[in-house]
Amino acid sequence: MKTEQTIRNEIVNRVVEIYKIRKSKEGFIPGKTKIHYSGRVFDENEMVALIDSALDFWLTLGKEGRKFINDFTKYMNMQYGLVTNSGSSANLVALSALCSPNIENPIKPGDEVITTAMAFPTTFNPIIQNNLTPVLIDVEEGTYNIDASKIKAAISDKTRAIVFAHTLGNPAEMDKIIQIAKKYNLYIIEDTCDALDSKYDNKLCGTFGDFSTYSFYAAHHMTMGEGGAILTNNINLYKQALSIRDWGRACYCQTGESNPNGVCGKRFKHKYENLPYGYDHKYVYTNIGYNLKPLDIQCAIGIEQLKKLPAFTEKRKYNFNILYNFFKKYEDKFILPITLPKADPSWFSFPLTIRKNSGFTRKDLVTYLEDNMIETRMLFTGNILKHPAYKHIDYRIADKLNNTDNVLTNTFFLGIYPGLTEDMLQYIIDVTDRFMTKFN
Ligand SMILES: Cc1ncc(COP(=O)(O)O)c(C=O)c1O
């Protein structure tokens, strides 16, 4: 009889064969093959990791989850990390942890959080979900990031935190933001979902604030299909985030770990005010929590993807520069992406804002590009306040949102993800050139 290992090896070999067959069929036919704005980039290693983990059939977070978060936390030079089932969950857990009664200075209902209306919805939503009030400031033209020069004027005696994303991978002005946060004792959550491997002042984005959050959705810098992570250097913030991710329980043992001593060494020896002495720590709840864990098989894919991240980053930068060098000649028609002098972005995509007197509208251009099989996207919500779901929320606008409204009306982005080849980028250039000749 064959051993399990022999059968596993056979399965792995067949998986590699399938990958090779699929790869051999890949090709680009200009005008026929869709040029996606983003997509997963992988090889046989991710497929084998997934199948291997599936055959283990552990399913819930286990050894792959532990290895992934250790590798990821180390890569990011941070101390504590936890995986989540999405970047949206990561944002929700992170802000909820800052509201936990178990931290020294929790944010309370009614307190204010400074953020931008030019946002991905689930960067913004946790503010509402935690009964806090968003205070909105404008983004800068071209960087699309929170305008750090406007934060100070937006602070009131209720302001407790600044929550923002490094938009499309472009690092926000971290030295100024950190300086203000320190002076006014504000928490910072860096939504790094689109900015993995971007740096500001030679330091990775996501390593400046109290919490940083990541997304491993298929469109992002690396993927598990769906998935996310939270990093922090504060042990208590980590424990509260873990608790909130895992139903709100007090126990901080690994999922599936049931030894009577646990990590804390006293699973049946804790005493909580109204609970009997020794009530199982696994079933003691110290936060109002959720369950936002991913599966182990997702993390198995993540382990392989992380190994490829430096190469992905290089390719993103390369592709971005090709489009930037092309669009420079149309600078009179478009606001090109702007980076701060200390920023070293690993761009998620290539944003463009159509100038007022260009002679065409965003709709004209994106319709033309999409008709020619080139995918485009709007810059997320543009202005979140204009969306139906947000009609009745309480908020405060600290200053005019002129650039935000310009994004809403005139900005879109193209892809630069590592799956785009030189031929594809050349096709984008040729098709765009054809459109632009009408407006010169
Ligand atoms: C800035 C930002 N934050 C959060 C998210 C949410 O991540 P996820 O799709 O993994 O929930 C996204 C989107 O994908 C994003 O672009």
Side-chain angles (χ1 to χ4, degrees):
M1 204 168 83
K2 284 180 182 174
T3 63
E4 179 178 334
Q5 192 54 53
T6 308
I7 298 169
R8 273 188 178 238
N9 291 345
E10 285 171 8
I11 292 170
V12 162
N13 289 339
R14 301 310 296 265
V15 169
V16 174
E17 275 176 52
I18 288 174
Y19 171 76
K20 286 186 176 154
I21 290 169
R22 291 219 189 130
K23 192 77 191 158
S24 71
K25 288 185 183 156
E26 275 178 15
F28 171 60
I29 305 168
K32 292 234 151 44
T33 312
K34 188 149 215 153
I35 300 191
H36 295 288
Y37 82 96
S38 193
R40 68 228 194 293
V41 178
F42 63 98
D43 59 24
E44 67 269 37
N45 293 313
E46 281 83 349
M47 288 178 75
V48 168
L50 169 70
I51 296 300
D52 233 3
S53 176
L55 290 173
D56 285 347
F57 213 66
W58 180 260
L59 299 184
T60 54
L61 268 189
K63 72 174 167 51
E64 312 290 357
R66 282 195 291 280
K67 175 156 173 50
F68 173 73
I69 201 62
N70 284 342
D71 291 354
F72 185 66
T73 309
K74 207 178 281 170
Y75 186 92
M76 293 298 300
N77 279 323
M78 293 290 282
Q79 289 186 54
Y80 309 105
L82 55 141
V83 278
T84 58
N85 62 357
S86 71
S88 304
S89 301
N91 282 335
L92 176 60
V93 168
L95 188 58
S96 303
L98 295 178
C99 300
S100 166
N102 308 318
I103 72 168
E104 217 171 90
N105 195 9
I107 305 177
K108 303 246 170 62
D111 283 347
E112 292 181 345
V113 175
I114 291 176
T115 192
T116 59
M118 201 299 295
F120 193 82
T122 51
T123 310
F124 183 92
N125 292 352
I127 300 172
I128 308 297
Q129 287 155 334
N130 280 291
N131 298 312
L132 310 173
T133 304
V135 176
L136 302 160
I137 61 178
D138 209 2
V139 289
E140 297 161 329
E141 183 178 275
T143 74
Y144 307 104
N145 276 320
I146 186 165
D147 188 339
S149 70
K150 296 197 167 144
I151 296 176
K152 206 163 139 187
I155 294 172
S156 79
D157 55 7
K158 284 187 161 185
T159 309
R160 300 299 315 282
I162 311 170
V163 172
F164 63 93
H166 298 283
T167 305
L168 301 180
N170 193 18
E173 197 172 4
M174 287 318 301
D175 35 15
K176 210 178 262 179
I177 295 171
I178 292 290
Q179 196 186 22
I180 297 168
K182 276 201 177 125
K183 183 163 176 196
Y184 295 93
N185 202 17
L186 306 177
Y187 292 113
I188 290 180
I189 297 178
E190 282 176 82
D191 179 333
T192 318
C193 289
D194 296 331
L196 182 54
D197 236 11
S198 291
K199 289 181 180 152
Y200 185 83
D201 206 8
N202 289 319
K203 204 165 139 34
L204 282 163
C205 287
T207 61
F208 292 84
D210 297 283
F211 275 122
S212 55
T213 59
Y214 303 84
S215 167
F216 306 125
Y217 175 62
H220 286 124
H221 287 56
M222 53 168 272
T223 188
M224 305 177 174
E226 300 279 0
I230 304 174
L231 299 180
T232 180
N233 281 332
N234 179 314
I235 177 81
N236 193 30
L237 289 184
Y238 163 75
K239 281 187 188 172
Q240 301 319 315
L242 194 65
S243 161
I244 289 164
R245 184 198 70 177
D246 297 359
W247 309 280
R249 69 176 179 177
C251 171
Y252 40 88
C253 296
Q254 301 288 350
T255 308
E257 193 174 64
S258 278
N259 95 58
N261 292 321
V263 170
C264 59
K266 44 184 185 180
R267 184 175 157 201
F268 298 116
K269 294 178 190 159
H270 286 282
K271 174 67 190 132
Y272 288 87
E273 219 176 336
N274 295 320
L275 287 172
Y277 170 74
Y279 198 81
D280 190 345
H281 204 209
K282 278 180 170 298
Y283 289 101
V284 173
Y285 300 94
T286 46
N287 284 292
I288 309 284
Y290 305 92
N291 175 4
L292 301 170
K293 296 191 295 298
L295 298 174
D296 220 30
I297 53 175
Q298 291 166 266
C299 299
I301 300 167
I303 291 167
E304 294 304 318
Q305 285 273 289
L306 187 59
K307 293 178 192 166
K308 295 184 169 75
L309 185 58
F312 287 164
T313 302
E314 281 312 301
K315 186 73 164 76
R316 280 182 179 277
K317 289 180 177 181
Y318 182 79
N319 287 352
F320 181 90
N321 284 336
I322 288 179
L323 288 192
Y324 191 87
N325 289 334
F326 163 67
F327 275 101
K328 255 197 323 212
K329 69 175 171 182
Y330 295 123
E331 221 167 342
D332 59 328
K333 307 278 189 236
F334 298 103
I335 297 167
L336 297 193
I338 295 170
T339 52
L340 298 175
K342 291 184 189 170
D344 174 17
S346 173
W347 284 94
F348 172 72
S349 61
F350 193 88
L352 287 162
T353 301
I354 294 155
R355 291 190 191 274
K356 283 206 172 57
N357 300 319
S358 62
F360 54 90
T361 65
R362 177 177 62 187
K363 184 170 174 293
D364 296 334
L365 180 53
V366 299
T367 306
Y368 172 83
L369 291 169
E370 297 273 353
D371 285 348
N372 282 282
M373 305 297 278
I374 298 168
E375 262 188 354
T376 62
R377 287 289 184 272
M378 304 286 133
L379 214 177
F380 307 140
T381 62
N383 179 346
I384 201 163
L385 298 177
K386 309 277 182 178
H387 290 255
Y390 300 85
K391 216 159 44 182
H392 302 298
I393 64 162
D394 282 332
Y395 61 89
R396 178 161 74 79
I397 294 187
D399 200 356
K400 291 193 180 69
L401 303 181
N402 293 342
N403 295 333
T404 301
D405 284 330
N406 198 27
V407 170
L408 179 69
T409 317
N410 293 314
T411 303
F412 74 101
F413 62 75
L414 292 164
I416 49 102
Y417 80 102
L420 296 187
T421 61
E422 305 233 1
D423 284 352
M424 291 170 174
L425 291 164
Q426 190 56 49
Y427 176 73
I428 295 174
I429 288 170
D430 294 342
V431 168
T432 308
D433 253 342
R434 249 186 278 144
F435 178 88
M436 296 305 292
T437 50
K438 291 185 262 175
F439 301 97
N440 273 334

